[in-house]
Amino acid sequence: MLHISFARTKSRQFLEKAEKVLTKLRMFHTEITANEPRNDVSATAVVTEMLDISPTVKKVVLRVDEPKFTFKSGQWVDFTISGVDIVGGFSICSTPKLLREQRLLELAVKKSKHPPVAWVHDKCRVGSTVQIQAGGEFFYDPRPSDPPKDLLLLAGGVGINPVRSIILHDKDLYDDHYAKSFGHCPGHATLLYCAKSPSELLFKDDFMRISDDINFQCVLFASQFKNVSDVGSKFTIHPGRITALDILSTVTAKKGGKSWLDIKRVMCYICGPREMVTSLVPALKECGISDEQIAYEAWTVTPPPSPASISKNAV
């Protein structure tokens, strides 16, 4: 009897502890973004395409017919799935223009056991429906009258998702300004992007295509890679992580005898693991870049011990 009582007590303690963990998981995305604004409109989205873009990442294309649903480049969506208690949070990797013109929105989701992610990888099919609502303070949305800004973009792993949205939006603005002579005039942009291996460097083809434009440069890194490797004719994959020295050499780089990035007008966007963000922000400040010029979004794979925001307001 004592053994049974003890076992029941242990079982009850285990269940209570498990329920607390599940409660935190259910709140994970909504908890850490509780203080961030959300757009007014929640909309139904239908999955129109699914594609494996790396050994661990699945790209999901959604059709959003609700005309009032909008987002700014760099923002995320609350991702609500029928039958899944936990609300997911995924950064949008496509542009506002794609939504405006084709009513499409793209996500890239890295495989994990987190229930919304597991649903995307194991159960989601073309024709599946979800509810989405855009939000977040990490975004790039210059007004047509704003003066040109240079962009320094730093991404780690799937932190490339909102950064890709920003890069493609900047290209849309660039094309509109120079082809149609209206709208915001972007400055120069440089991307430093690191993943564990070359196969996990997402959207390389996009960046190679955009690099044909005169205002974009890209440097790739693979943290678990030991050798330098060429990607096509333009990019080299450098071994190791992005370092303070890489940032210094990027900020001070010149082209045609002139600084590529103007330190006075550069805006820095960083998205990746918390450790990456906390190591690179001081390096930017050492280069003379102020807090007002830095926007970052750090993510973690485990729920925080208490409600806390892990993103810094974008300017």
Side-chain angles (χ1 to χ4, degrees):
M1 290 293 293
L2 286 174
H3 175 72
I4 294 173
S5 176
F6 177 74
R8 286 176 178 169
T9 301
K10 294 291 284 186
S11 177
R12 189 161 56 246
Q13 290 173 345
F14 172 79
L15 290 173
E16 289 173 354
K17 185 176 291 186
E19 181 58 32
K20 288 180 180 178
V21 171
L22 286 173
T23 298
K24 277 189 175 181
L25 280 171
R26 291 187 190 104
M27 294 179 64
F28 184 27
H29 167 67
T30 53
E31 180 182 78
I32 63 178
T33 62
N35 296 323
E36 297 196 40
R38 283 165 167 77
N39 297 354
D40 293 335
V41 178
S42 174
T44 298
V46 181
V47 177
T48 63
E49 183 181 355
M50 300 187 69
L51 179 68
D52 292 324
I53 58 173
S54 89
T56 63
V57 178
K58 194 175 289 290
K59 180 181 175 181
V60 181
V61 182
L62 302 171
R63 189 183 75 246
V64 188
D65 291 328
E66 170 54 62
K68 294 182 180 179
F69 178 90
T70 61
F71 73 94
K72 298 173 182 177
S73 64
Q75 289 188 312
W76 38 255
V77 289
D78 296 331
F79 193 86
T80 305
I81 306 156
S82 178
V84 178
D85 289 342
I86 303 165
V87 176
F90 303 128
S91 292
I92 302 166
C93 61
S94 54
T95 65
K97 184 176 182 179
L98 182 67
L99 179 66
R100 242 182 358 257
E101 297 185 351
Q102 302 183 42
R103 301 311 305 168
L104 297 178
L105 178 150
E106 297 174 350
L107 309 173
V109 182
K110 186 176 177 66
K111 190 172 185 178
S112 79
K113 295 180 180 179
H114 190 54
V117 175
W119 181 87
V120 168
H121 277 262
D122 301 332
K123 297 182 179 181
C124 182
R125 300 289 184 270
V126 171
S128 295
T129 60
V130 295
Q131 286 294 122
I132 59 173
Q133 185 173 12
E137 296 178 308
F138 180 86
F139 59 80
Y140 171 61
D141 186 38
R143 295 182 297 265
S145 59
D146 286 345
K149 291 263 187 195
D150 292 337
L151 298 180
L152 174 55
L153 306 146
L154 310 174
V158 288
I160 192 62
N161 285 336
V163 171
R164 177 189 185 242
S165 177
I166 290 171
I167 291 169
L168 295 182
H169 183 51
D170 196 56
K171 174 174 169 52
D172 287 341
L173 295 173
Y174 178 89
D175 289 346
D176 285 343
H177 181 81
Y178 287 99
K180 304 174 185 178
S181 299
F182 74 87
H184 177 72
C185 175
H188 293 149
T190 297
L191 168 66
L192 304 185
Y193 173 30
C194 180
K196 287 183 178 180
S197 65
S199 64
E200 293 293 342
L201 286 164
L202 310 178
F203 309 119
K204 292 190 294 290
D205 290 345
D206 287 337
F207 303 141
M208 281 191 279
R209 174 176 53 83
I210 298 171
S211 69
D212 289 334
D213 294 333
I214 61 172
N215 74 323
F216 178 75
Q217 295 183 347
C218 176
V219 186
L220 303 175
F221 300 81
S223 62
Q224 297 181 1
F225 202 51
K226 295 182 179 179
N227 302 304
V228 173
S229 175
D230 290 330
V231 182
S233 60
K234 294 190 174 185
F235 291 167
T236 297
I237 300 176
H238 301 273
R241 292 181 170 86
I242 303 168
T243 66
L245 184 59
D246 295 315
I247 289 177
L248 177 63
S249 62
T250 300
V251 170
T252 58
K254 295 183 181 297
K255 189 172 183 178
K258 297 182 179 180
S259 295
W260 175 254
L261 299 176
D262 186 338
I263 199 74
K264 294 180 180 180
R265 72 175 193 178
V266 72
M267 184 66 196
C268 304
Y269 289 87
I270 316 173
C271 187
R274 183 188 293 272
E275 296 77 12
M276 171 189 166
V277 173
T278 55
S279 68
L280 295 184
V281 168
L284 292 170
K285 293 181 180 180
E286 285 292 323
C287 293
I289 298 172
S290 67
D291 286 334
E292 291 72 24
Q293 294 172 275
I294 303 171
Y296 62 81
E297 190 162 67
W299 43 263
T300 176
V301 294
T302 55
S306 60
S309 172
I310 53 170
S311 67
K312 183 179 184 295
N313 295 354
V315 176

